Amino acid sequence: MAGRVRQGNGTMKIRAHAGAERRRRAILATARDMLNREPLSMRRLAEAAGVSQATPYNLFGSKRQLFVALYAQQREEMVARLTASRHPHAFSRMFHAIHLFGRELSAEPTFFRSLFAIIYAGDPEDTAQRDIEPGAAFWLELVEALHREKLIRASVNPDSFTANFVYLLSGATIDWVNNRVDVRQWETIVGYGLALAGLAVATETIRPELEERLRTYEEKLAGYRLSEDGRPRNDAACRAPAQSAVG
């Protein structure tokens, strides 16, 4: 009899977990749809997802953590696309990841502007927030691949290299959120930063390719000038498509 009770309790826990996961997925899907159309409020989100007002908080803890979960979901989708693509080495994959990210910004600008406005602004009342860039683990994995493939010097700390890149990425993304740069400029700036940082620590085998990428990006940035208010001028050279510089 006791064994049956334990088995019954275990089944109930599995069902409860499955139910919570279904609600979690439904809330994330609804939140993404709403953010492509309108500002998100937790009350409206709960109504649209068909759950109680408390459920989003119970499952995610706070509005910012909901946005972090959306970002993590987006990163998982990018990992799947990156894995499905073929590249000769880890640097090529990293440049392609920048390109994929740029395509996502172009496809869902309203969603990503809302997402990053919350993530990068932070919330002083949210004690759970820790990372400046919640997607840092995604980039760290790519940098660690550079290390494994001996494309950067053995003495380079992957965490330090990733942190440096993430600061560059975050700054460029904040400028995009605030309409200071467009997606093509964003992609060129981030790719240029990666090429420049990579050259500083690259092994000889990959240096020629990084130097070529750097030259390509520098040509595209030839018209890049900061005006007095910190905005880049809209010179044609800075708006040229970046496809040739990213593989």
Side-chain angles (χ1 to χ4, degrees), residues 182-240:
D182 60 26
V183 172
R184 288 173 180 173
Q185 291 170 325
W186 175 92
E187 185 175 341
T188 303
I189 292 165
V190 176
Y192 176 74
L194 175 59
L196 197 61
L199 269 173
V201 296
T203 55
E204 290 303 316
T205 56
I206 198 64
R207 288 189 67 84
E209 182 175 328
L210 290 178
E211 287 170 351
E212 178 58 31
R213 285 183 180 271
L214 192 68
R215 282 192 292 271
T216 303
Y217 284 125
E218 284 177 341
E219 289 174 4
K220 295 182 182 301
L221 288 170
Y224 187 93
R225 298 291 186 274
L226 289 179
S227 58
E228 291 182 1
D229 63 358
R231 292 174 180 267
R233 296 175 188 171
N234 296 325
D235 292 357
C238 197
R239 289 182 174 273

Side-chain angles (χ1 to χ4, degrees), residues 42 60 62-69 118-123 126 128-134:
M42 297 296 268
F60 298 98
S62 69
K63 185 175 181 178
R64 183 180 187 276
Q65 289 305 309
L66 168 65
F67 277 57
V68 169
I118 291 292
I119 285 178
Y120 290 131
D123 182 353
D126 186 358
Q129 68 184 53
R130 293 290 182 270
D131 297 330
I132 294 174
E133 165 62 65

Side-chain angles (χ1 to χ4, degrees), residues 55-145:
T55 298
Y57 291 101
N58 291 339
L59 292 175
F60 298 98
S62 69
K63 185 175 181 178
R64 183 180 187 276
Q65 289 305 309
L66 168 65
F67 277 57
V68 169
L70 281 168
Y71 193 17
Q73 183 183 67
Q74 178 263 342
R75 279 290 177 268
E76 290 171 5
E77 294 168 359
M78 185 185 286
V79 167
R81 285 193 290 274
L82 194 59
T83 302
S85 61
R86 293 185 178 182
H87 296 277
H89 51 72
F91 260 122
S92 179
R93 288 193 296 277
M94 199 163 178
F95 282 108
H96 188 61
I98 294 169
H99 181 58
L100 289 176
F101 195 1
R103 287 172 57 184
E104 291 184 344
L105 298 183
S106 294
E108 296 183 274
T110 303
F111 165 70
F112 281 106
R113 280 198 167 93
S114 300
L115 181 69
F116 292 130
I118 291 292
I119 285 178
Y120 290 131
D123 182 353
E125 296 181 1
D126 186 358
T127 57
Q129 68 184 53
R130 293 290 182 270
D131 297 330
I132 294 174
E133 165 62 65
F138 168 82
W139 297 107
L140 177 59
E141 186 174 339
L142 292 173
V143 173
E144 287 174 338

Side-chain angles (χ1 to χ4, degrees), residues 9-30:
N9 288 340
T11 302
M12 290 175 64
K13 289 179 180 178
I14 292 171
R15 288 176 178 171
H17 177 76
E21 185 58 29
R22 281 195 300 272
R23 290 191 293 274
R24 187 179 186 278
R25 288 197 300 268
I27 290 169
L28 289 174
T30 303

